[in-house]
Amino acid sequence: MPMETKKKRIGIYPGSFDPLTNGHLDIIIRASRLFDSLIVGVLRNDAKKTLFSMEERVALIRKCTEDIPNVSVEMFEGLLVDFVHEKKADAIVRGLRAVSDYEYELQMAMLNKHMSPDVETIFLMTDINNSYLSSSVVKDVAMHGGNIRGLVPETVIDDIYRKVKAK
Ligand code: ADP
């Protein structure tokens, strides 16, 4: 009997990543161990103003994940469930920090389930050390000349300061 080939498990971690923080990177690393491949989906949403352009956000994530062989970074627009189907992915990965994240995340997971019952969302709890971290906090600190070391991966610190300074 021919050996059945097991389908490779694909996860999608979507977000704005404006910019990537240590909180995001921790979720990427942990999710990459749960799937055969993990796609970081960077949302192009023209209605949501971002500090970093689409290309910059993708480049920063690539720079920090180039050593993880099963992680790729792609831009997407439109509905997340369409992107999930296009990539034949098995699950959406999202991170949870405080209780305040829960309501929005539940709403999105329910909505996606309604639109596409075959799509699962799984949640990874933040690492306690990253629980206060968000892209907004990083931008705020950098804009006011504060130290963002420890909040974002070392390799992107200069890129973030350069961007903020140019604004
Ligand atoms: P979005 O605009 O889709 O919320 P974000 O880039 O803000 O995009 O976040 C993407 C995902 O990463 C979300 O699920 C968010 O809850 C999660 N996340 C953001 N910061 C952290 C953190 N410090 N720890 C764990 N998860 C996080």
Side-chain angles (χ1 to χ4, degrees):
M1 224 170 47
M3 276 255 288
E4 217 177 284
T5 45
K6 208 167 153 245
K7 184 197 177 290
K8 295 248 183 282
R9 294 269 150 201
I10 302 170
I12 290 187
Y13 177 38
S16 311
F17 308 104
D18 183 41
L20 179 86
T21 69
N22 278 341
H24 294 131
L25 185 58
D26 174 59
I27 298 290
I28 293 173
I29 292 168
R30 287 160 57 200
S32 74
R33 297 181 187 133
L34 300 176
F35 294 93
D36 295 300
S37 63
L38 180 77
I39 301 166
V40 182
V42 185
L43 177 65
R44 180 193 289 275
N45 179 358
D46 294 334
K48 196 169 168 181
K49 240 180 100 38
T50 55
L51 175 63
F52 293 83
S53 70
M54 182 71 226
E55 293 70 22
E56 288 166 335
R57 286 180 282 145
V58 167
L60 292 185
I61 306 169
R62 288 212 172 116
K63 206 171 169 181
C64 301
T65 57
E66 58 190 4
D67 292 341
I68 317 172
N70 65 335
V71 170
S72 59
V73 189
E74 291 187 34
M75 177 293 268
F76 78 98
E77 50 194 333
L79 291 179
L80 174 58
V81 285
D82 290 340
F83 184 54
V84 171
H85 285 139
E86 184 198 321
K87 293 291 156 190
K88 297 188 171 38
D90 300 280
I92 296 165
V93 176
R94 296 284 287 177
L96 279 181
R97 285 160 295 187
V99 177
S100 50
D101 277 345
Y102 180 80
E103 212 169 322
Y104 173 72
E105 293 295 341
L106 178 71
Q107 188 183 16
M108 293 316 293
M110 300 274 209
L111 182 64
N112 287 332
K113 195 95 192 146
H114 169 78
M115 289 191 288
S116 192
D118 58 321
V119 174
E120 292 296 347
T121 304
I122 66 164
F123 296 96
L124 295 183
M125 294 296 163
T126 185
D127 182 287
I128 187 101
N129 298 310
N130 299 324
S131 57
Y132 61 93
L133 270 183
S134 68
S135 298
S136 314
V137 162
V138 167
K139 283 181 282 194
D140 234 33
V141 173
M143 268 170 199
H144 293 96
N147 191 355
I148 57 170
R149 180 154 279 117
L151 309 185
V152 299
E154 285 287 320
T155 49
V156 298
I157 289 178
D158 290 344
D159 299 300
I160 293 173
Y161 278 128
R162 216 173 300 125
K163 180 74 189 183
V164 165
K165 228 175 181 177
K167 271 275 150 179

